[in-house]
Amino acid sequence: MQYPNRPYRYQTHIPVHVIRPGGPQVAYIVDINEAGACVAGLTGVAVGEAVVLRGSDDANVATVRWAANNRAGVAFDRPIPPKYLNMMRYRDPAMLAAATNDNHLN
């Protein structure tokens, strides 16, 4: 089977709050590139659903492309510039832990 070419996905573990119509959830980005990501720890999301991924100091609007086994593939509405993508991947772990603080749900 031939799969379409896509940019390389970088393995990562970025905690995020997922803001969605069914209510917010805490999840983790497990791989990412400028066009999208795989988010683990999600339940009840549907293909085509709009979500917002909020980190410690940023937010990205995305659309769910697939969902299975508490994971979802999302496509960002606006691609992430390479420089910013690298900043996200190599952020200080203390800042990443702050992303799951309940104060970020609002």
Side-chain angles (χ1 to χ4, degrees), residues 14-19 24-28 54-58 93-106:
I14 302 171
V16 291
H17 279 111
V18 181
I19 310 303
Q25 296 182 38
V26 174
Y28 294 88
R54 289 181 69 186
S56 59
D57 62 352
D58 56 352
M95 288 181 65
L96 294 176
T100 56
N101 181 329
D102 286 343
N103 294 331
H104 292 283
L105 286 175
N106 299 324

Side-chain angles (χ1 to χ4, degrees), residues 9-32:
R9 288 271 178 108
Y10 299 98
Q11 301 298 309
T12 189
H13 188 78
I14 302 171
V16 291
H17 279 111
V18 181
I19 310 303
R20 52 179 294 271
Q25 296 182 38
V26 174
Y28 294 88
I29 296 175
V30 295
D31 69 40
I32 190 169

